[in-house]
Amino acid sequence: MNSKKIAGEKAAEYIKDGMVIGLGTGSTSYYMIEKVGALVKAGMKLKAVATSKESEEHALRLHIPTFDINEVPTIDLAIDGVDEIDNQFNAIKGGGGALFREKIVASHAKEVIWIMDDGKLVKEIGNFPLPIEILPYGYRYVLEQLEKASYLPRIRKKDKEFFLTDNGNYIVDLQLKAPLNTKDIMEHVMNITGVLEVGLFLNMCDRIVVGRKDHSIKVIENKYKR
Ligand code: 5RP
């Protein structure tokens, strides 16, 4: 079994009957969604809110009752992947371009679990390009501001076209280096008109579940979540 599958399936053990589950996006979340599908098939009464159209379609194929975020009063548990995470539970997310929905689902959730293979654990985050979601209107201005701040922005492309998020926006990947001054970056980037969200998820999870190549699993509780 691969490490992502191990982590995704382990995290699903925290799901209880009657919960509203936030479904993450990406290849690790894929396995968690498969497991949620199996739980629903076995008779568990669950509701889900997906963080992307891709995950929503996956959930619907598995007959998981899926709702718009505005249709549920709360999310009991959100389970999602990460691109990089340090031992202070600060993460970079958005490699799949779903960072805005992922952040709003995580912010709304009572409990959050990040799932990953052990390659995602780093001493200091920042070497993975930091994704930010920006509005298409006036994007050149946003790029100029990011360039001025020496963030080395690169607009994400897919098949030679600008990559479009599920919200119809663009993703810009900042080519930074660890360690990051996360407070400065958040303040500076979020202050640029046209930026919707930054893929920095600072101390937002309650636990991480790490699948390893040797098939072992490490669960680390975050006692310091704000
Ligand atoms: C998508 C994300 C993903 O959670 C992140 O990219 C991890 O993906 P994977 O599980 O495929 O490694 O942030 O926007």
Side-chain angles (χ1 to χ4, degrees), residues 64-112:
I64 301 169
T66 306
F67 295 82
D68 182 275
I69 191 168
N70 299 308
E71 292 175 331
V72 294
T74 189
I75 294 168
D76 295 297
L77 173 63
I79 307 176
D80 202 349
V82 294
D83 294 303
E84 262 189 354
I85 185 162
D86 67 18
N87 59 12
Q88 304 292 302
F89 302 93
N90 296 320
I92 290 181
K93 286 178 52 52
L99 66 111
F100 174 70
R101 294 191 186 194
E102 291 174 336
K103 197 175 259 191
I104 204 159
V105 165
S107 304
H108 200 22
K110 290 186 199 157
E111 197 177 351
V112 176

Side-chain angles (χ1 to χ4, degrees), residues 4 25-29 80-83 92-99 102 115 117 120:
K4 293 187 180 203
T25 296
S27 55
T28 320
S29 293
D80 202 349
V82 294
D83 294 303
I92 290 181
K93 286 178 52 52
L99 66 111
E102 291 174 336
I115 51 180
D117 58 61
K120 304 291 179 74

